[in-house]
Amino acid sequence: MTVQIQRPTDIPLLAVFLEMMNNQKEHHIGFCSLERHTIHSKLTYYFSDLPLKESFVVAYDHGEIIGALGFDVYMTLNKAKVCGPFVKYPNKYPLLAEDMWLALNGDMPTDLRIFEFLVNESNYSMRQLLLKLQANEIKRMFLTKAFRNTIEKHANEETSEIQSNVHPFHLSFCKFLKIEDDEWLKFTTTLNEEQKLFFYIDEVKNISGYAYVRVEPMHYLGEIHHYTFQSSLQKEKRTQLLRKSLMHIFSYHPFTQTELFLDVDEQLDVFTDAGFKVTDEMIYYQFIKTT
């Protein structure tokens, strides 16, 4: 057999391979989407501070993709989220994951030290590789999913007033997020009719909780990007913020489902009441390169 490890050339074909692999629990990782259109979009527009050809390797045998590995590099943080390694026939190619790891790692900037992994607990071959690397298990997480058909029944529900115009609350947000004016102005430029911030304010006009929803229908991206709740924000209002966010995502045609990863110590019923369902348990690992 002749295995070749190369840089990616056919992104649509790679996206199909990643979709096929990542929808199997025994290969599933968190830092890769489950649908090919989203995967293709992320690879094309959002993946890594480095060019894709420097951030990914693909393994072939007689023209068939049998493996893939990518580093979603954040150069300012000297870290990467690891997409893979995926090996289609692990029994036939027992060393391929390590070979791809060495091939891609060898071309990375020397400053890149921290590698993050989010692995399905059923992905035993990946966990074995992490054991070899002596990566540290940091925490357990849940993968949750919400579906349009379960959210639509809440479309006519009345809720407490949820705000979306951030500008009158400029100072409150800066204080809440612990950011300066220039960071605030940069953040607000990302907000529009698709990408929104939904939030509650308390009786003295301070922010008590928010959800930032990132939607780009042309790029098949629809997610609750981040959220924060003050301890004073009632459970019902937390649920309403999340549900409002989901309704916004599902108001766009491309989206029938969305994912959200939760720490196991989150107040889970807030999310299940909003429409999320726990589907998998994940393990977050970190590997720090010392040489």
Side-chain angles (χ1 to χ4, degrees):
M1 76 185 68
T2 304
V3 176
Q4 296 179 314
I5 297 175
Q6 303 174 352
R7 300 299 171 170
T9 55
D10 189 332
I11 306 306
L13 189 61
L14 175 59
V16 171
F17 175 80
L18 295 176
E19 177 193 55
M20 180 268 292
M21 295 296 292
N22 211 36
N23 276 279
Q24 302 172 55
K25 287 183 185 292
E26 64 269 28
H27 298 296
H28 175 234
I29 63 159
F31 296 140
C32 179
S33 299
L34 296 169
E35 296 177 297
R36 70 184 65 177
H37 297 302
T38 305
I39 295 170
H40 184 277
S41 181
K42 286 186 175 180
L43 291 177
T44 305
Y45 300 105
Y46 304 107
F47 194 81
S48 182
D49 290 343
L50 301 177
L52 186 63
K53 288 188 177 182
E54 296 177 24
S55 304
F56 236 95
V57 290
V58 182
Y60 298 87
D61 191 0
H62 292 94
E64 178 188 10
I65 296 181
I66 58 167
L69 170 65
F71 293 160
D72 187 1
V73 177
Y74 297 76
M75 286 307 303
T76 56
L77 302 174
N78 294 324
K79 75 172 186 177
K81 294 181 177 180
V82 180
C83 180
F86 295 103
V87 179
K88 188 174 182 179
Y89 309 111
N91 293 331
K92 187 176 179 181
Y93 305 96
L95 300 178
L96 182 56
E98 291 178 62
D99 290 344
M100 290 190 296
W101 175 263
L102 292 171
L104 189 55
N105 237 309
D107 291 334
M108 286 294 111
T110 55
D111 289 343
L112 184 62
R113 296 288 184 185
I114 301 169
F115 297 84
E116 299 177 340
F117 303 80
L118 189 56
V119 182
N120 193 301
E121 66 169 355
S122 298
N123 190 341
Y124 298 110
S125 60
M126 181 69 181
R127 292 171 66 185
Q128 193 67 30
L129 174 63
L130 291 167
L131 190 62
K132 276 188 181 180
L133 291 174
Q134 298 184 318
N136 295 313
E137 179 179 325
I138 305 299
K139 61 183 177 180
R140 299 271 171 148
M141 302 183 78
F142 292 122
L143 168 60
T144 68
K145 296 180 184 178
F147 299 88
R148 174 186 282 161
N149 58 4
T150 62
I151 299 301
E152 286 177 333
K153 63 185 179 183
H154 299 289
N156 297 319
E157 274 187 3
E158 289 189 15
T159 63
S160 306
E161 185 181 0
I162 296 175
Q163 307 280 338
S164 61
N165 179 12
V166 299
H167 297 289
F169 307 101
H170 170 189
L171 295 178
S172 180
F173 260 109
C174 285
K175 180 180 176 183
F176 185 69
L177 299 174
K178 298 179 181 177
I179 58 176
E180 301 297 329
D181 269 5
D182 57 342
E183 293 177 271
W184 168 251
L185 292 171
K186 184 177 178 181
F187 172 67
T188 55
T189 61
T190 69
L191 300 176
N192 51 45
E193 285 304 306
E194 293 175 349
Q195 301 192 85
K196 284 186 172 290
L197 198 64
F198 298 111
F199 58 96
Y200 277 110
I201 57 171
D202 61 23
E203 61 279 359
V204 291
K205 306 299 183 185
N206 285 324
I207 308 301
S208 56
Y210 74 88
Y212 173 52
V213 191
R214 191 176 172 194
V215 179
E216 295 184 33
M218 292 293 291
H219 295 159
Y220 296 91
L221 181 67
E223 62 186 8
I224 298 176
H225 192 58
H226 54 81
Y227 58 87
T228 300
F229 306 130
Q230 291 278 50
S231 58
S232 59
L233 187 65
Q234 302 160 325
K235 174 191 166 186
E236 177 187 346
K237 289 190 173 183
R238 299 181 187 202
T239 296
Q240 288 172 352
L241 274 177
L242 294 167
R243 193 175 290 151
K244 179 78 170 179
S245 302
L246 290 174
M247 288 179 180
H248 179 62
I249 292 169
F250 294 135
S251 69
Y252 292 89
H253 176 70
F255 306 112
T256 59
Q257 64 175 303
T258 189
E259 306 164 26
L260 187 64
F261 291 97
L262 304 175
D263 288 348
V264 292
D265 57 358
E266 291 267 19
Q267 191 177 353
L268 196 58
D269 57 348
V270 168
F271 297 85
T272 54
D273 288 353
F276 286 96
K277 178 182 178 182
V278 175
T279 61
D280 288 281
E281 185 170 341
M282 311 292 290
I283 311 172
Y284 170 71
Y285 294 88
Q286 189 177 83
F287 169 68
I288 300 178
K289 188 164 63 173
T290 56
T291 56

